[in-house]
Amino acid sequence: MEMQAHGDLGALLRSWRDRLSPVDVGYPAGIARRATGLRREELAALAGLSVDYVVRLEQGRARRPSAQVAASLARALQLSDTERDHLYVLAGLLPPSPREVPAHIPPGVGRLITRLGEIPLAVFTASWDLITCSPLWAALLGEPVQPAVGRPNLIRSLFTDAALHSGEGYIVSRSGSIEAFGASLVADLRRVHGQYPDDRGVNALVDELLVASEPFRELWQSGAVGEHQSERKVVRNDIVGDVELDCDVFSVAGTDLRIVAYTAATGSPAAAKLDFLRVSAIAAVRA
């Protein structure tokens, strides 16, 4: 059921765009600008929208963005939860329910992610949907593969061979076996399923995997409940070969988001390989 749209959505989008510092979304400081905020084309790129559509929204010629577009705009504009909910109301949408898995990145977390962008880093929802990742994450593991519907999901990728990333980057070994890794993720998903029983995305994922994957079905039927932990991993990359890295998972209090970061000790061979990939990623962006 949709809510009735009201207010000037276009004016508010312009106001939010004007107040956001380009530095806080990863654009370099010192570039000559007429205004201090984001350009329309920059907001469009961050939200994954066309510049023409952003223009039409701001001019009031488009008034009813979809929930997916509203979520992308809220994330790109680094809105607070209250501002995000107001954006949904102005768009004639019901704001996300607290009984659904959160997928909104708070402003402080968004700035943190931008400033930590020189390490391979990604943000997942509690049910392991990939929301965003740093350029070095993409250089290490490949660009995220967007499915026809929804977001790339780590658990679906593991149990159905659905591509999470493009290219040749993938994990070839862990401190535990691949079976232990899968069992940890399924136990974690069961915990999330209990916490958000009305989330349609979580229910659909469980139903899909119960049919598509016998290993998942066996693990799910075991009833194990747990929380996925950090561990050391080896990533195979087509440019630098095998890279052994510490993989740490950080939970964002109040949002249930997971920040996953790969790091290596300073001066180690793995750190040198990450430095090489970092330079390659920067060169690719500037090309």
Side-chain angles (χ1 to χ4, degrees):
M1 180 178 179
E2 291 187 340
M3 299 182 66
Q4 181 65 37
H6 63 85
D8 190 346
L9 174 61
L12 200 53
L13 288 175
R14 291 193 299 273
S15 174
W16 283 330
R17 177 170 60 81
D18 289 342
R19 77 177 186 186
L20 187 58
S21 169
V23 175
D24 285 338
V25 298
Y27 290 108
I31 296 177
R33 290 174 176 269
R34 295 180 182 176
T36 58
L38 289 184
R39 300 185 177 108
R40 283 170 171 164
E41 57 267 25
E42 291 170 339
L43 174 58
L46 289 168
L49 305 173
S50 70
V51 178
D52 177 68
Y53 186 62
V54 171
V55 171
R56 288 191 288 119
L57 281 171
E58 291 192 352
Q59 293 179 347
R61 293 186 288 120
R63 297 175 179 269
R64 304 299 289 268
S66 67
Q68 182 177 356
V69 168
S72 296
L73 286 168
R75 187 163 52 249
L77 290 165
Q78 297 187 0
L79 302 185
S80 68
D81 288 350
T82 302
E83 291 167 340
R84 175 208 58 191
D85 290 350
H86 189 59
L87 168 61
Y88 273 69
V89 171
L90 292 183
L93 302 165
L94 285 172
S97 165
R99 295 178 66 84
E100 298 173 350
V101 171
H104 179 60
I105 299 176
V109 177
R111 290 189 291 271
L112 177 68
I113 293 166
T114 297
R115 292 165 189 175
L116 291 178
E118 290 192 357
I119 63 174
L121 179 148
V123 182
F124 292 83
T125 66
S127 54
W128 295 99
D129 284 344
L130 177 60
I131 301 177
T132 188
C133 65
S134 68
L136 190 51
W137 175 285
L140 178 67
L141 289 163
E143 292 287 346
V145 175
Q146 296 297 331
V149 178
R151 299 184 179 93
N153 182 274
L154 176 61
I155 303 177
R156 178 184 291 112
S157 173
L158 182 65
F159 285 96
T160 68
D161 293 327
L164 187 69
H165 300 94
S166 64
E168 300 297 326
Y170 59 95
I171 299 166
V172 294
S173 66
R174 303 177 176 85
S175 57
S177 66
I178 188 68
E179 290 79 10
F181 179 65
S184 175
L185 285 175
V186 174
D188 190 270
L189 181 62
R190 180 173 281 282
R191 180 184 60 82
V192 172
H193 183 265
Q195 187 173 354
Y196 300 98
D198 297 334
D199 188 278
R200 289 179 292 180
V202 174
N203 288 323
L205 177 64
V206 172
D207 290 344
E208 173 192 345
L209 294 178
L210 285 173
V211 173
S213 171
E214 182 176 352
F216 176 89
R217 184 165 57 251
E218 292 175 353
L219 289 167
W220 186 261
Q221 290 173 348
S222 74
V225 180
E227 185 171 5
H228 183 59
Q229 303 294 321
S230 305
E231 60 183 352
R232 176 161 290 198
K233 297 179 181 177
V234 176
V235 177
R236 175 158 294 165
N237 180 274
D238 60 341
I239 296 176
V240 297
D242 289 358
V243 192
E244 186 172 5
L245 300 165
D246 289 316
C247 178
D248 290 289
V249 182
F250 304 93
S251 297
V252 181
T255 68
D256 277 345
L257 295 176
R258 324 287 185 94
I259 299 177
V260 180
Y262 287 107
T263 59
T266 301
S268 66
K273 291 181 178 181
L274 287 183
D275 287 340
F276 185 84
L277 285 175
R278 186 179 299 111
V279 172
S280 300
I282 292 172
V285 170
R286 292 177 177 174

